[in-house]
Amino acid sequence: MQDGTGLLVDGTWARGSGRLPVADKYTGEVLAELHVPGPDQVDAAVASAARAADGLPPARRAAILRLAARLLDERRAAILAQYVAETGFTPADAVTEFDRTLLILELCAQEAERLTGEMVPVQAAAGHDDSLCFTLRVPVGVVAAITPFNAPLSTVAHKVAPALAAGNAVVLKPAEQTPLCAIALVRALLEVGLPERLVQLLPGPGETVGDQLVRHPDVRYITFTGSTAVGRHIRAVSGLARTHLELGSNSPTLLWRDADLDHALPLVVRAGYRKAGQVCTSVQRLLAHATIADEVTDRLAALVGDLAYGDPRAPGIQVGPLISSEAAGRAEALTADAVGRGGRLVTGGGREGPMMAPALLSGLPDSARLASEEAFAPLLAIASVGSLDEAVRLANATRYGLQAGVFCQDLDIALTFARRLEMGGVIINDTSSTHPDPMPYGGVKDSGQGVEGPAFAVRDMTESRTVLVRHRRAGL
Ligand code: NAP
């Protein structure tokens, strides 16, 4: 059991009105009992944050983010162990996300240093020959950050670090299933000198703690990553607060007839099954050109069949458990639905509790729920496509639009896909799950609105203030 309440309000690690047990996702062992805030504490956290915002010069913000990254790195081994325990992801997945987190902190530090407004040429207006006009980027005030279970370090960093870099105070509500990494990040920020009220930490259920937070009138900006259903709810109840929503997906990756399969297939397997498929951009649908679909199915059957699954800490394991038995049961039902409608289960799919054998389906019928809904599981379905038009139609035949991958050596075809796929991002010659952190990243349609990425998020978490200076030239 780890010490501490995990509840940080107005600069104090506080006792709450309820308890939140956090379990190891493979063994079920209770790792910590965190304190859940009552309604008064949620209000107190927002009020304290509102008083603290805009108190830190940009150079200091940057220095704190860099020092926090260094301190986290010093604690790497302990945090990685905690990450594996609370998520059920493998140590390899943990390292990838940990290193991304350090980079995100550094990139946000750089953005704090270069955040600036712009000059506006008002001289075109009559009577303003000698006016100067420029804009300042000022913090929005209180940012509420609400994060999902599946990226408990990097998604938290993609929200907390830009909020601080922009000069805001942030109230963080991490997912109740995986809050321990968020606590480690907040502790590191405080220990390297972040003024304590600039970050408030509220572990607890989304339906109570999160809901109160997003309805709070003093929260000016909500940055949310999670399901489309919760994102839609937040949009409906959050009043005039600006919202940035990173939501669900059913990401396709296309293998055109000229795709280099030796290069593509190992990438597809990694992008379909890492974190047990619990990644918003996971390859859920693989649209393979009809001329190569059989070869792709046979080769993937071997690769997926070889994936070792089980205890994420055991040597060689590539796929751990899902976040819960319910999540695995839902994936099992989606598989059964696809098979019931004519799809073929090529390998895997067996389930015991939260553990699911990595599953591969072929012949995905258009009518299957898997073709349009999100699985969020180690489950990949192949559909064969005969033409560019058919590939575009199938890729777009879902209410989601986060990212797509396109393996294709013909530049004209690849760029035609980039123009016609209704996605926030199209990745050429890699999978839908490729996401270098500096790039603008976000979904369209029911996958959300707004873009993440340090340069974009920092700017978006500010407001523009216009300064118009009237003056007369001296000596006239
Ligand atoms: P979720 O159930 O929507 O939860 C996300 C967060 O919202 C959690 O912290 C949750 O709290 C909180 N929440 C729940 N109800 C709320 C309410 N009424 N008001 C305010 N907050 C509330 O999502 P998840 O199961 O953790 O994560 C999986 C989903 O996230 C998938 O759909 C996935 O595609 C999506 N995702 C999207 C991206 C992207 O970049 N687009 C990235 C990662 C994940 P509790 O869980 O603590 O109750």
Coordinates of all heavy atoms in Angstrom, one line a residue, residues 38-100:
G38 N -15.3 15.4 -1.1 CA -16.7 15.7 -1.0 C -17.0 17.0 -1.9 O -16.0 17.6 -2.3
P39 N -18.2 17.3 -2.1 CA -18.6 18.5 -2.9 C -17.9 19.8 -2.5 O -17.4 20.6 -3.3 CB -20.1 18.6 -2.8 CG -20.5 17.2 -2.4 CD -19.4 16.6 -1.6
D40 N -17.8 20.0 -1.1 CA -17.1 21.2 -0.7 C -15.7 21.3 -1.1 O -15.1 22.3 -1.4 CB -17.2 21.3 0.9 CG -18.6 21.5 1.4 OD1 -19.5 21.8 0.5 OD2 -18.8 21.5 2.6
Q41 N -15.0 20.1 -1.1 CA -13.6 20.1 -1.5 C -13.4 20.3 -2.9 O -12.4 20.9 -3.3 CB -13.0 18.8 -1.0 CG -12.8 18.7 0.5 CD -12.4 17.3 0.9 OE1 -13.0 16.3 0.6 NE2 -11.3 17.2 1.7
V42 N -14.4 19.9 -3.8 CA -14.3 20.2 -5.2 C -14.4 21.7 -5.4 O -13.5 22.3 -6.1 CB -15.3 19.4 -6.0 CG1 -15.3 19.8 -7.5 CG2 -15.2 17.9 -5.9
D43 N -15.3 22.3 -4.7 CA -15.5 23.8 -4.8 C -14.2 24.5 -4.3 O -13.7 25.4 -4.9 CB -16.7 24.2 -4.0 CG -18.0 24.0 -4.7 OD1 -17.9 23.8 -6.0 OD2 -19.0 24.0 -4.1
A44 N -13.7 24.0 -3.2 CA -12.5 24.6 -2.6 C -11.3 24.5 -3.5 O -10.5 25.4 -3.7 CB -12.2 24.0 -1.3
A45 N -11.2 23.4 -4.2 CA -10.1 23.2 -5.2 C -10.2 24.2 -6.3 O -9.2 24.8 -6.7 CB -10.1 21.8 -5.7
V46 N -11.4 24.4 -6.8 CA -11.5 25.3 -8.0 C -11.3 26.8 -7.5 O -10.6 27.5 -8.1 CB -12.9 25.2 -8.6 CG1 -13.1 26.3 -9.7 CG2 -13.1 23.8 -9.2
A47 N -11.8 27.1 -6.3 CA -11.6 28.5 -5.8 C -10.1 28.7 -5.5 O -9.6 29.8 -5.9 CB -12.4 28.6 -4.5
S48 N -9.4 27.8 -5.0 CA -8.0 27.9 -4.7 C -7.2 28.1 -6.0 O -6.3 28.9 -6.1 CB -7.5 26.7 -3.9 OG -6.1 26.7 -3.8
A49 N -7.6 27.3 -7.0 CA -6.9 27.4 -8.3 C -7.1 28.7 -8.9 O -6.2 29.3 -9.5 CB -7.4 26.2 -9.2
A50 N -8.4 29.2 -8.8 CA -8.7 30.5 -9.5 C -7.8 31.6 -8.8 O -7.4 32.6 -9.5 CB -10.2 30.8 -9.3
R51 N -7.6 31.5 -7.5 CA -6.8 32.6 -6.9 C -5.3 32.5 -7.3 O -4.6 33.5 -7.3 CB -6.8 32.4 -5.4 CG -8.2 32.9 -4.8 CD -8.1 33.0 -3.2 NE -7.7 31.8 -2.6 CZ -8.6 30.8 -2.2 NH1 -9.9 31.0 -2.4 NH2 -8.2 29.7 -1.6
A52 N -4.9 31.3 -7.7 CA -3.4 31.1 -7.9 C -3.0 31.3 -9.4 O -1.9 31.5 -9.7 CB -3.1 29.6 -7.6
A53 N -4.0 31.3 -10.3 CA -3.6 31.3 -11.8 C -2.9 32.6 -12.1 O -3.1 33.6 -11.5 CB -4.9 31.2 -12.6
D54 N -2.1 32.5 -13.1 CA -1.3 33.6 -13.7 C -0.3 34.2 -12.7 O 0.0 35.4 -12.7 CB -2.3 34.7 -14.2 CG -1.5 35.6 -15.2 OD1 -0.4 35.3 -15.6 OD2 -2.1 36.7 -15.5
G55 N 0.2 33.3 -11.8 CA 1.2 33.9 -10.8 C 2.6 33.6 -11.2 O 3.5 34.0 -10.4
L56 N 2.9 33.0 -12.3 CA 4.3 32.5 -12.5 C 4.8 33.0 -13.9 O 4.2 32.8 -14.9 CB 4.2 30.9 -12.6 CG 5.3 30.1 -12.1 CD1 5.7 30.4 -10.6 CD2 4.9 28.6 -12.2
P57 N 6.0 33.6 -13.9 CA 6.5 34.1 -15.1 C 6.9 32.9 -16.1 O 7.2 31.8 -15.6 CB 7.8 34.9 -14.7 CG 7.9 34.7 -13.3 CD 6.8 33.9 -12.7
P58 N 6.9 33.1 -17.4 CA 7.1 32.0 -18.3 C 8.4 31.3 -18.1 O 8.4 30.0 -18.2 CB 7.1 32.7 -19.7 CG 6.2 33.9 -19.4 CD 6.5 34.3 -18.0
A59 N 9.5 32.0 -17.8 CA 10.8 31.2 -17.6 C 10.7 30.3 -16.4 O 11.3 29.2 -16.4 CB 11.9 32.2 -17.4
R60 N 10.0 30.7 -15.4 CA 9.8 29.8 -14.2 C 9.0 28.6 -14.6 O 9.2 27.5 -14.1 CB 9.2 30.7 -13.1 CG 9.2 30.0 -11.8 CD 10.5 30.0 -11.0 NE 10.5 29.0 -10.0 CZ 11.3 28.0 -9.8 NH1 12.2 27.8 -10.7 NH2 11.2 27.1 -8.8
R61 N 7.9 28.8 -15.3 CA 7.1 27.7 -15.7 C 7.9 26.7 -16.5 O 7.8 25.5 -16.2 CB 6.0 28.2 -16.7 CG 5.0 29.2 -16.2 CD 4.1 29.7 -17.3 NE 3.6 31.0 -17.0 CZ 3.0 31.9 -17.8 NH1 2.9 31.5 -19.1 NH2 2.6 33.0 -17.5
A62 N 8.7 27.2 -17.4 CA 9.6 26.3 -18.2 C 10.6 25.5 -17.3 O 10.7 24.3 -17.5 CB 10.3 27.1 -19.3
A63 N 11.2 26.2 -16.4 CA 12.2 25.6 -15.5 C 11.5 24.5 -14.7 O 12.1 23.4 -14.5 CB 12.8 26.6 -14.6
I64 N 10.3 24.8 -14.2 CA 9.6 23.8 -13.4 C 9.3 22.5 -14.2 O 9.5 21.4 -13.7 CB 8.4 24.4 -12.7 CG1 8.8 25.3 -11.6 CG2 7.4 23.3 -12.2 CD1 7.7 26.2 -11.0
L65 N 8.8 22.7 -15.4 CA 8.5 21.5 -16.2 C 9.7 20.7 -16.5 O 9.7 19.5 -16.5 CB 7.8 22.0 -17.5 CG 6.4 22.6 -17.3 CD1 5.9 23.3 -18.6 CD2 5.4 21.5 -16.9
R66 N 10.8 21.4 -16.8 CA 12.1 20.6 -17.0 C 12.6 19.9 -15.8 O 13.0 18.7 -15.8 CB 13.2 21.6 -17.6 CG 12.9 22.1 -18.9 CD 14.1 22.7 -19.6 NE 13.8 23.0 -21.0 CZ 13.5 24.3 -21.4 NH1 13.6 25.3 -20.6 NH2 13.2 24.5 -22.7
L67 N 12.5 20.6 -14.7 CA 13.0 19.9 -13.4 C 12.1 18.8 -13.0 O 12.6 17.7 -12.6 CB 13.0 21.0 -12.3 CG 14.1 22.0 -12.4 CD1 13.9 23.1 -11.3 CD2 15.5 21.4 -12.1
A68 N 10.8 18.9 -13.3 CA 9.9 17.8 -13.0 C 10.2 16.6 -13.9 O 10.2 15.4 -13.4 CB 8.4 18.2 -13.2
A69 N 10.5 16.8 -15.1 CA 10.9 15.7 -16.0 C 12.1 15.0 -15.5 O 12.2 13.8 -15.4 CB 11.1 16.2 -17.4
R70 N 13.1 15.8 -15.0 CA 14.3 15.2 -14.5 C 14.0 14.4 -13.2 O 14.5 13.3 -13.1 CB 15.3 16.3 -14.2 CG 16.8 15.8 -14.0 CD 17.8 16.9 -13.7 NE 17.7 18.0 -14.7 CZ 18.3 19.1 -14.4 NH1 18.9 19.4 -13.3 NH2 18.3 20.1 -15.3
L71 N 13.2 14.9 -12.4 CA 12.9 14.2 -11.1 C 12.1 12.9 -11.4 O 12.4 11.8 -10.8 CB 12.1 15.1 -10.2 CG 11.8 14.5 -8.8 CD1 13.0 14.2 -8.1 CD2 11.0 15.6 -8.0
L72 N 11.2 13.0 -12.4 CA 10.5 11.7 -12.8 C 11.5 10.7 -13.3 O 11.4 9.5 -13.0 CB 9.4 12.1 -13.9 CG 8.2 12.8 -13.4 CD1 7.3 13.2 -14.6 CD2 7.3 11.9 -12.5
D73 N 12.4 11.2 -14.1 CA 13.4 10.2 -14.6 C 14.2 9.6 -13.5 O 14.5 8.4 -13.6 CB 14.3 11.0 -15.6 CG 14.9 10.0 -16.7 OD1 14.3 8.9 -16.8 OD2 15.8 10.4 -17.3
E74 N 14.5 10.3 -12.5 CA 15.2 9.7 -11.4 C 14.4 8.7 -10.7 O 14.9 7.7 -10.1 CB 15.6 10.8 -10.3 CG 16.8 11.7 -10.8 CD 16.9 12.9 -9.9 OE1 16.4 12.9 -8.7 OE2 17.5 13.9 -10.4
R75 N 13.1 8.8 -10.7 CA 12.2 7.9 -10.1 C 11.6 6.8 -11.1 O 10.6 6.2 -10.8 CB 11.0 8.6 -9.5 CG 11.5 9.6 -8.4 CD 10.4 10.4 -7.8 NE 11.0 11.2 -6.7 CZ 10.3 12.2 -6.1 NH1 9.1 12.5 -6.5 NH2 10.9 12.9 -5.2
R76 N 12.3 6.7 -12.2 CA 11.8 5.9 -13.3 C 11.3 4.5 -12.9 O 10.2 4.1 -13.1 CB 12.9 5.9 -14.4 CG 12.7 4.9 -15.5 CD 13.9 4.9 -16.4 NE 13.8 6.1 -17.3 CZ 13.3 6.1 -18.6 NH1 12.9 4.9 -19.1 NH2 13.3 7.1 -19.3
A77 N 12.2 3.8 -12.2 CA 12.0 2.4 -11.9 C 10.7 2.2 -11.0 O 9.8 1.4 -11.3 CB 13.2 1.8 -11.2
A78 N 10.6 3.1 -10.0 CA 9.4 3.0 -9.1 C 8.1 3.3 -9.9 O 7.1 2.6 -9.7 CB 9.6 3.9 -7.9
I79 N 8.2 4.3 -10.7 CA 7.0 4.8 -11.4 C 6.6 3.7 -12.4 O 5.4 3.4 -12.6 CB 7.1 6.2 -12.0 CG1 7.4 7.2 -10.9 CG2 5.9 6.5 -12.9 CD1 7.7 8.6 -11.4
L80 N 7.6 3.1 -13.1 CA 7.2 2.1 -14.1 C 6.6 0.9 -13.4 O 5.6 0.4 -14.0 CB 8.5 1.7 -14.8 CG 9.1 2.7 -15.8 CD1 10.4 2.1 -16.4 CD2 8.1 3.0 -16.9
A81 N 7.0 0.5 -12.3 CA 6.4 -0.6 -11.6 C 5.0 -0.3 -11.2 O 4.1 -1.1 -11.3 CB 7.3 -0.9 -10.3
Q82 N 4.8 0.9 -10.7 CA 3.4 1.3 -10.3 C 2.5 1.4 -11.5 O 1.3 1.0 -11.5 CB 3.6 2.7 -9.7 CG 2.3 3.2 -9.0 CD 2.7 4.5 -8.3 OE1 3.1 5.5 -9.0 NE2 2.4 4.6 -7.0
Y83 N 3.1 1.8 -12.6 CA 2.3 1.9 -13.9 C 1.8 0.5 -14.3 O 0.6 0.3 -14.7 CB 3.2 2.6 -15.0 CG 2.6 2.7 -16.3 CD1 2.2 3.9 -16.8 CD2 2.5 1.6 -17.2 CE1 1.7 4.0 -18.1 CE2 1.9 1.7 -18.4 CZ 1.5 2.9 -18.9 OH 1.0 3.0 -20.2
V84 N 2.7 -0.4 -14.3 CA 2.4 -1.8 -14.8 C 1.3 -2.3 -13.8 O 0.3 -3.0 -14.3 CB 3.7 -2.7 -14.8 CG1 3.3 -4.1 -15.0 CG2 4.6 -2.2 -15.9
A85 N 1.5 -2.1 -12.6 CA 0.5 -2.6 -11.6 C -0.9 -2.0 -11.8 O -1.9 -2.7 -11.9 CB 1.0 -2.4 -10.2
E86 N -1.0 -0.7 -11.9 CA -2.3 -0.1 -12.0 C -3.0 -0.2 -13.3 O -4.2 -0.1 -13.4 CB -2.3 1.3 -11.5 CG -1.7 2.4 -12.4 CD -2.0 3.8 -12.0 OE1 -3.0 4.1 -11.2 OE2 -1.2 4.7 -12.4
T87 N -2.2 -0.4 -14.4 CA -2.8 -0.5 -15.7 C -3.0 -2.0 -16.2 O -3.9 -2.3 -17.0 CB -2.0 0.2 -16.8 OG1 -0.7 -0.4 -16.8 CG2 -1.9 1.7 -16.5
G88 N -2.1 -2.8 -15.8 CA -2.0 -4.2 -16.4 C -1.3 -4.2 -17.7 O -1.2 -5.2 -18.4
F89 N -0.7 -3.1 -18.2 CA 0.1 -3.0 -19.4 C 1.5 -3.6 -19.2 O 1.9 -3.7 -18.0 CB 0.2 -1.6 -19.9 CG -1.1 -0.9 -20.2 CD1 -1.2 0.5 -20.2 CD2 -2.3 -1.6 -20.4 CE1 -2.4 1.1 -20.5 CE2 -3.5 -1.0 -20.6 CZ -3.6 0.4 -20.7
T90 N 2.1 -3.9 -20.2 CA 3.5 -4.6 -20.1 C 4.5 -3.5 -19.7 O 4.3 -2.3 -20.0 CB 3.9 -5.2 -21.4 OG1 4.0 -4.2 -22.4 CG2 2.9 -6.3 -21.8
P91 N 5.7 -3.9 -19.2 CA 6.7 -3.0 -18.9 C 7.2 -2.3 -20.2 O 7.5 -1.1 -20.2 CB 7.9 -3.9 -18.4 CG 7.1 -5.0 -17.7 CD 5.9 -5.3 -18.6
A92 N 7.2 -2.9 -21.4 CA 7.6 -2.2 -22.6 C 6.6 -1.1 -22.9 O 7.0 0.0 -23.3 CB 7.6 -3.2 -23.8
D93 N 5.3 -1.3 -22.7 CA 4.3 -0.2 -22.9 C 4.6 0.9 -21.9 O 4.4 2.1 -22.3 CB 2.9 -0.8 -22.7 CG 2.5 -1.7 -23.9 OD1 3.0 -1.5 -25.0 OD2 1.6 -2.6 -23.6
A94 N 4.9 0.5 -20.7 CA 5.2 1.5 -19.7 C 6.3 2.4 -20.1 O 6.3 3.6 -19.9 CB 5.4 0.8 -18.3
V95 N 7.4 1.8 -20.5 CA 8.6 2.6 -20.9 C 8.3 3.6 -22.0 O 8.7 4.7 -22.0 CB 9.8 1.6 -21.3 CG1 10.9 2.4 -21.9 CG2 10.3 0.9 -20.1
T96 N 7.6 3.1 -23.0 CA 7.2 4.0 -24.1 C 6.5 5.2 -23.6 O 6.8 6.3 -24.0 CB 6.3 3.2 -25.2 OG1 7.0 2.1 -25.6 CG2 6.0 4.1 -26.4
E97 N 5.5 4.9 -22.8 CA 4.7 6.1 -22.3 C 5.4 7.0 -21.4 O 5.3 8.2 -21.4 CB 3.4 5.6 -21.6 CG 2.4 6.7 -21.4 CD 1.1 6.3 -20.9 OE1 0.6 5.2 -21.2 OE2 0.5 7.1 -20.2
F98 N 6.3 6.4 -20.6 CA 7.1 7.2 -19.7 C 8.0 8.1 -20.4 O 8.1 9.3 -20.1 CB 8.0 6.2 -18.8 CG 8.7 6.9 -17.7 CD1 8.1 7.1 -16.5 CD2 10.0 7.4 -17.9 CE1 8.8 7.8 -15.4 CE2 10.7 8.0 -16.9 CZ 10.0 8.2 -15.6
D99 N 8.7 7.6 -21.5 CA 9.6 8.4 -22.2 C 8.9 9.5 -23.0 O 9.3 10.7 -23.1 CB 10.5 7.6 -23.2 CG 11.5 6.8 -22.4 OD1 11.8 7.1 -21.3 OD2 12.0 5.8 -23.0
R100 N 7.7 9.2 -23.5 CA 6.9 10.2 -24.1 C 6.5 11.3 -23.1 O 6.5 12.5 -23.5 CB 5.6 9.6 -24.7 CG 5.7 8.8 -25.9 CD 4.4 8.2 -26.4 NE 3.5 9.3 -26.7 CZ 2.2 9.1 -27.1 NH1 1.7 7.9 -27.1 NH2 1.4 10.2 -27.4

